[in-house]
Amino acid sequence: MSKVSYRPSKILIADDSPADRLILQSMLQRLGYVVVLAEDGVQAVEKFLSEKPEFVFLDVIMPNMDGVETAIQIKEKAGDDFIPVIYLTSLADAPSLARCLSAGGDDFLSKPYNPIVIEAKIKAFSRMREMNQTLALQKNLIEKNNRHLIQEQNVAKQVFDKIAHAGSLKLPIIRYYMSALAVFNGDVLLADVSPTGSLMVLLGDFTGHGLPAAIGSMPLASIFYGMVNKGFGMSEILREINNRLNQTLPMGLFCCATCFDISFRKQRVLVWSGGLPDSAIYRGATRTFERITSKNLPLAILANRDFKAEPVRFELSAGDHILLWSDGIQEARDRQGKMFGEQRLTSILERGLEASAVFDDIIGEVQAHIGEGERDDDVSLVDITFPDAELGAQMEKKGSKGRGCLQDWSLNFRLESSSLRVFDPMPLLLHITSEVPGLRQSNSLLFTVLSELFNNAVEHGVLGLQSSIKQSAAGFSEYYRLRKEGLENLPLGSWVMLEFEHGVKHNGGLLTIRVRDSGDGFHPTNKTTSGDTQHVYHGRGLTLLRTMCESLVITPPGNCVEAQFRWLHEE
Amino acid sequence: MPAHTSLDPVLLAELKDLLADNFNELIERYTVDSAHRFSLLVTAVPEKDYKTIYYEAHGIKGSSRNMGATKLAEICGQLEAQGHAEDGAGLENLLSEASAEFEVVCGILAGERT
Amino acid sequence: MSISSSMSADGKTLTIAVDGRFDASSLDEFRSCYEGAVCESPISFNVDLRKAEYLDSSALGMLLVLRDYAGGESATITISHCSPEVKKIFAISSFEKLFTIQ
C-alpha cells in the first residue's frame, strides 16, 4: 500500500470578499500551504480542475455560483477521491447550515478566522482523507483481485467443462438436475458407455464448493473417462481414482461418490457407494423403491491397500429406474434453516408414482422448500431409466463406436538376429494387447504366456539350449549365462516370428498366438515325474502354458507352437 | 475611546503581524469593497430590494468580523437578517447607523496604516 | 532399480522387493541381493511381490535357486503380497509346499 501524505500541499480558497480572501490566504501561507484563489463559484470549479487542490475553503454566498452549488460540483468531479470542503461563513441560521452540509460540504469555519482552529480542521480532515484513500486503494485492489479471480475461474471452468462433460450425459435414458452454488459445482456427474457396452455412471460430491471442489473433479473426471473408454472395470477405475485423489488432495478434502456399472445385456447393475446418501432402484412393475445404502468410506480417504472396491449387484428389468442424489437434497434449508430432510424424501418415494413424476416431485418440493432462501449445498438428482432390449442394444453401441480401440485384429511380428540380440519384445506386445478393452485386465497372465512362448522359441529353438542344464542351482546360472552368450554371438539368419489373431467373443475374446522360430525344433520332455520338485529348476513353463491357455499345440518338429488364450470381461 | 468599541485592538494587532507588508493592502481592500457594498445598499434600501440588502449586508458583516469591526458586523447582521426575512421596518435608520460606524472604522484603520 | 533389498533391524530377515517384471531379465539383480547377505545364523527371506506385475517360469527357477542357497529344506522363505494371478502361477507349480505364500 502506497504511503498517503498526511498534509494537503495545495489549498483552494473561493471567496468574493477580497479582504477575507487575503486574510485566509496569509494564514494558510504562514502555515506552509500553497494557496490557489478564486473569486466566485465558477472560477472555483475551474481552478479545482486545473490546479488539483487537495483541500477547499468555500464562501457560501458568492456571485455567479454560490458555495453550495460549487461544493456539489467539486465533490462530483473529485469522484472517489475525498476532497474536504470547508464553508467559510458567518451564517447563523440552522436551516442554511444544514443545507450546506447536505450538499456535500464537510464543515464550517466561522469569522473571524483563527489560525489555530484552521490548522486543527485541516489536520482532522487530512486524516479522514488519508483513511479514505487507503480504503479506496484497498477497494481497488479487491476489485482487481476479484476480477482476476473470476477471470481465472472462467478459464478453469472451460477446462473443467471440457473434461467433466466429455461423456454421455446426453443419453436419452439419463435425466439429471444439478444446481450450482458457485462457478463450479461441488457435485460432479460423470457418465459414459464403456467399449464393453456397460453404462458407467459416477455421482461425486466433494467436500467444499467452488475451486477446491473443482480441483478434485479434474483428476476424477479425467481418470473416469479415460479408463471407461479403455474398457477398465468399475473396481479398477474406483481404485485408480481413490489412489490418485488420496495422493493429491489435501487432508480433509475428499469425495463422497456412488458409482454404477449398468449392463443392458446382462440386465444387472453393479453399485459401489461411499459416503453419499442412499440411492434407490425403482421397480417399474410395482412402483416401489429398493434402497442402496453406502457401505464404504468416501474416495480419497483410505490408502489403496485398505480400499475396497467391491460392488453390490442388483438385477434390473425394462422400466426399472436408478435414482441417485447428493446430500444437498436432504440438507436443503428453508428460510428458517429447517432441512428438507429424509422423511419428506421417503414420503415422495413411497407415493407409488410414475418414475418421471418422482423426479419432478423431488425437484419441485425441494425448490419450494428452499423458496427464496440461500442454498448452502449443491443439489443434484439423477434418474437413469433401464431401457428395453432394443434401446439397450442402441446404448451398448455407443460404447464401441469410434473409440479407436482394438477389436478384431491380427499381427505378424518377426524378429531377425540383430533384433533378437538386443530387443525385448514383451513391453511392445503388451502395449498392443492393452489396446483391446478388457484384455488389459489379463495383462499379467498374458505376460506369462507370451514370455514362456517367446523364451521357448529363443532358448530351445534359436539357441538350442537344453533344459536339462538347469538340473542344479549352478546349472540354472550356467543356463542363463549360455543364453546371454548365445544371443551375443547369434549368427545371421536366426529369427523368431510371433503371429497374433484376436477376435471379440461373447463376454470377452480369443487371442491366438503362434510362435515359430528358425531352430531345428525341440522335443518337449514331459515334466520330470519325480516328486522331488525342489531340485528341478525347469519344466514349469509348459505346465503354466497348458493351464493358462485354452489350447496349446506344438507342431513337430517343435519349432511352431500355437496357444489360444481366452479372456472374459471382468464381472 | 472609539477604537476600543469599534475595532478589536487584539485582533488588529494579530492581523498586522500576520499580513506584515500586506497590511495596508488589506485595509485598502476592506475599505474599497465595503464602500462599494454600502453604495449598493444605499440604492437597495429605499427600493426594498431585500435580496441585495441580505447579500451585501452579509458581505460587510463577514469581512468586518474578520477585521475585528465587531460593532459594524452586528449592525450589518441585523440588516442581513431583515433582508432575509423581508422585514422593511427601520431599514433606513439601520443603514445610516451602519454607514456612520463604517466611517469610524475607516478612520481608525487609516490611522493604523504602516 | 526394479529389485531392492533391505535387512530387518534384528538382522535376521532379508526382504527382497520386486517391482514390475520378475523374469530372467532381473536374474543378476535378484541374485546379487541375497548373495551378499551373511548367512551365519539361520536367516529368513521375504520376497515382496507387492509391486511385481509380471512373472514367468524363470522367476520360479530363481526362487528355487534362492531356496537352495538359503538351505533347501531348512530354508524359511516367505513370498508376500502376491496378486491373485501370481498366486495362481505358484499354485500351478505347487510352490505352496516349498514357500510360505502370502
Side-chain angles (χ1 to χ4, degrees):
Chain A
M1 193 122 314
S2 65
K3 182 75 189 143
V4 180
S5 74
Y6 206 83
R7 255 173 84 91
S9 54
K10 201 185 266 186
I11 297 177
L12 171 68
I13 301 169
D15 195 336
D16 64 329
S17 157
D20 290 350
R21 226 164 39 225
L22 183 60
I23 293 171
L24 187 55
Q25 179 188 10
S26 305
M27 285 178 175
L28 291 175
Q29 280 171 344
R30 176 168 280 196
L31 290 168
Y33 301 107
V34 175
V35 177
V36 181
L37 297 169
E39 293 176 16
D40 61 34
V42 175
Q43 234 183 58
V45 176
E46 282 168 14
K47 288 279 170 78
F48 176 75
L49 291 175
S50 62
E51 299 284 338
K52 305 200 183 332
E54 294 155 308
F55 209 100
V56 177
F57 287 101
L58 279 183
D59 187 15
V60 180
I61 298 169
M62 288 187 292
N64 297 327
M65 181 157 71
D66 73 5
V68 175
E69 179 58 28
T70 308
I72 291 172
Q73 290 202 14
I74 286 178
K75 286 287 184 182
E76 189 188 296
K77 299 205 186 311
D80 280 344
D81 195 4
F82 174 66
I83 302 291
V85 171
I86 310 288
Y87 291 112
L88 304 168
T89 188
S90 43
L91 284 175
D93 62 311
S96 297
L97 296 175
R99 182 175 155 258
C100 290
L101 286 186
S102 67
D106 298 292
D107 201 1
F108 297 95
L109 183 66
S110 58
K111 295 170 186 180
Y113 302 146
N114 181 319
I116 296 168
V117 173
I118 289 172
E119 178 72 341
K121 286 197 192 234
I122 290 175
K123 275 190 177 158
F125 280 101
S126 295
R127 273 197 298 277
M128 231 160 112
R129 182 174 149 81
E130 183 193 27
M131 282 192 289
N132 197 278
Q133 284 184 341
T134 307
L135 271 176
L137 281 172
Q138 285 172 344
K139 185 171 156 246
N140 282 344
L141 197 68
I142 289 167
E143 278 174 359
K144 202 176 128 200
N145 287 346
N146 196 43
R147 271 198 305 275
H148 191 64
L149 196 70
I150 286 173
Q151 202 179 9
E152 280 185 341
Q153 285 206 350
N154 283 330
V155 173
K157 186 174 163 53
Q158 284 173 21
V159 176
F160 174 70
D161 285 350
K162 250 190 192 143
I163 294 171
H165 302 147
S168 302
L169 285 174
K170 290 201 174 83
L171 285 180
I173 58 169
I174 301 179
R175 186 179 174 200
Y176 65 95
Y177 172 88
M178 291 185 100
S179 71
L181 260 189
V183 178
F184 297 106
N185 194 318
D187 289 354
V188 59
L189 175 64
L190 310 169
D192 211 352
V193 182
S194 89
T196 62
S198 283
L199 172 62
M200 310 286 262
V201 180
L202 188 147
L203 177 66
D205 178 1
F206 279 89
T207 39
H209 308 286
L211 212 46
I215 284 169
S217 306
M218 303 276 235
L220 174 70
S222 85
I223 294 169
F224 178 86
Y225 286 126
M227 290 182 80
V228 169
N229 262 305
K230 291 196 165 113
F232 282 94
M234 186 167 87
S235 302
E236 287 173 293
I237 296 171
L238 287 169
R239 288 186 68 79
E240 182 57 29
I241 290 172
N242 180 70
N243 188 40
R244 184 85 67 84
L245 294 183
N246 179 255
Q247 284 170 1
T248 51
L249 294 188
M251 281 294 282
L253 192 57
F254 53 84
C255 179
C256 296
T258 298
C259 190
F260 289 88
D261 169 345
I262 301 162
S263 170
F264 304 110
R265 202 174 339 125
K266 295 175 195 156
Q267 302 211 307
R268 61 102 184 103
V269 58
L270 302 177
V271 187
W272 181 93
S273 186
L276 271 194
D278 288 3
S279 36
I281 293 177
Y282 171 86
R283 298 302 183 186
T286 56
R287 294 186 172 183
T288 52
F289 279 92
E290 281 170 45
R291 292 293 194 109
I292 305 169
T293 305
S294 160
K295 292 197 174 66
N296 303 284
L297 282 170
L299 297 169
I301 291 181
L302 293 174
N304 246 24
R305 67 171 174 278
D306 302 316
F307 180 76
K308 298 264 186 304
E310 286 153 14
V312 186
R313 183 191 166 109
F314 293 86
E315 307 304 320
L316 294 175
S317 49
D320 286 352
H321 283 250
I322 293 164
L323 208 62
L324 60 157
W325 55 87
S326 63
D327 59 9
I329 295 272
Q330 286 103 317
E331 289 170 13
R333 288 167 193 277
D334 65 10
R335 237 178 291 181
Q336 281 76 46
K338 211 164 162 247
M339 287 191 192
F340 186 73
E342 182 64 39
Q343 259 193 323
R344 274 176 236 242
L345 183 66
T346 306
S347 84
I348 300 174
L349 297 183
E350 286 171 354
R351 278 176 204 167
L353 298 166
E354 240 184 288
S356 64
V358 176
F359 187 96
D360 294 338
D361 279 10
I362 295 175
I363 293 304
E365 289 181 27
V366 167
Q367 281 175 338
H369 180 79
I370 296 170
E372 299 295 305
E374 285 274 310
R375 276 194 298 268
D376 50 11
D377 201 359
D378 302 310
V379 174
S380 299
L381 180 67
V382 187
D383 176 355
I384 301 156
T385 311
F386 191 78
D388 59 24
E390 194 189 335
L391 186 56
Q394 276 177 35
M395 295 295 116
E396 282 196 353
K397 277 188 200 144
K398 305 234 177 221
S400 46
K401 251 197 319 198
R403 286 282 170 70
C405 43
L406 283 174
Q407 300 283 323
D408 298 317
W409 54 278
S410 67
L411 172 76
N412 284 2
F413 183 55
R414 183 169 146 142
L415 291 157
E416 305 293 345
S417 298
S418 55
S419 296
L420 281 174
R421 276 179 214 142
V422 290
F423 185 72
D424 174 5
M426 298 311 292
L428 175 68
L429 296 175
L430 286 179
H431 188 78
I432 292 167
T433 58
S434 293
E435 292 298 315
V436 181
L439 179 52
R440 182 195 330 269
Q441 281 92 292
S442 306
N443 251 359
S444 114
L445 287 177
L446 193 56
F447 172 87
T448 310
V449 171
L450 289 174
S451 175
E452 295 304 333
L453 289 170
F454 179 71
N455 284 320
N456 267 339
V458 171
E459 293 162 14
H460 306 314
V462 171
L463 297 174
L465 293 170
Q466 296 300 312
S467 286
S468 55
I469 304 171
K470 293 191 272 185
Q471 284 294 0
S472 64
F476 185 82
S477 304
E478 176 64 7
Y479 178 87
Y480 283 101
R481 196 190 60 75
L482 287 172
R483 181 190 196 270
K484 201 177 159 205
E485 199 177 273
L487 280 178
E488 279 167 6
N489 302 307
L490 195 64
L492 286 177
S494 303
W495 51 265
V496 172
M497 169 108 126
L498 298 135
E499 296 169 33
F500 293 85
E501 268 170 51
H502 180 262
V504 174
K505 305 287 173 200
H506 181 68
N507 272 359
L510 183 68
L511 179 66
T512 305
I513 310 152
R514 209 172 297 115
V515 182
R516 304 172 203 270
D517 63 68
S518 59
D520 300 331
F522 72 102
H523 303 285
T525 47
N526 279 332
K527 189 172 171 272
T528 325
T529 46
S530 156
D532 177 22
T533 51
Q534 74 186 79
H535 289 115
V536 181
Y537 302 95
H538 67 96
R540 287 182 184 80
L542 279 177
T543 315
L544 286 178
L545 280 174
R546 288 211 165 88
T547 319
M548 291 172 170
C549 298
E550 189 168 81
S551 75
L552 184 76
V553 178
I554 302 171
T555 311
N559 51 13
C560 175
V561 181
E562 182 180 298
Q564 291 200 306
F565 182 79
R566 187 177 289 280
W567 59 273
L568 297 173
H569 281 301
E570 183 194 55
E571 176 62 345
Chain B
M1 295 289 284
H4 286 271
T5 51
S6 296
L7 214 53
D8 180 344
V10 178
L11 195 65
L12 202 63
E14 281 171 6
L15 286 175
K16 232 180 221 174
D17 173 58
L18 175 73
L19 285 133
D21 293 346
N22 286 328
F23 185 66
N24 289 348
E25 165 74 13
L26 176 66
I27 292 170
E28 182 69 18
R29 284 188 184 195
Y30 172 74
T31 46
V32 171
D33 180 58
S34 300
H36 174 64
R37 289 179 194 269
F38 268 110
S39 71
L40 293 172
L41 283 174
V42 167
T43 325
V45 165
E47 289 174 0
K48 303 269 193 287
D49 175 0
Y50 295 117
K51 199 183 163 200
T52 305
I53 296 166
Y54 165 68
Y55 187 98
E56 300 306 333
H58 175 82
I60 302 167
K61 180 190 80 175
S63 41
S64 297
R65 274 196 189 161
N66 267 337
M67 296 297 288
T70 321
K71 192 180 169 191
L72 177 55
E74 270 168 30
I75 303 165
C76 287
Q78 181 64 36
L79 267 171
E80 176 195 341
Q82 285 194 218
H84 193 240
E86 305 196 350
D87 173 8
L91 281 180
E92 284 81 2
N93 285 344
L94 272 174
L95 179 59
S96 30
E97 202 183 325
S99 300
E101 178 60 18
F102 180 57
E103 290 303 318
V104 175
V105 169
C106 285
I108 298 166
L109 285 175
E112 295 290 337
R113 281 178 179 267
T114 53
Chain C
M1 279 290 277
S2 62
I3 297 189
S4 59
S5 62
S6 61
M7 187 67 85
S8 64
D10 61 5
K12 285 183 179 161
T13 305
L14 182 73
T15 297
I16 303 171
V18 181
D19 192 347
R21 270 170 78 167
F22 189 23
D23 64 359
S25 66
S26 44
L27 179 70
D28 292 338
E29 226 182 316
F30 184 73
R31 197 171 51 193
S32 65
C33 276
Y34 61 82
E35 282 189 348
V38 184
C39 237
E40 285 172 5
S41 55
I43 185 167
S44 63
F45 290 86
N46 171 29
V47 180
D48 186 345
L49 297 185
R50 186 198 294 278
K51 291 182 177 170
E53 273 183 84
Y54 305 121
L55 187 142
D56 70 4
S57 64
S58 62
L60 301 179
M62 285 151 67
L63 288 167
L64 288 172
V65 172
L66 167 64
R67 184 168 177 274
D68 182 66
Y69 180 87
E73 281 303 332
S74 63
T76 314
I77 301 176
T78 305
I79 304 174
S80 61
H81 303 109
C82 300
S83 68
E85 291 82 5
V86 169
K87 276 188 181 158
K88 189 175 166 189
I89 290 171
F90 287 149
I92 294 166
S93 311
S94 305
F95 261 41
E96 312 92 314
K97 292 171 191 161
L98 310 178
F99 301 91
T100 310
I101 313 281
Q102 289 178 341

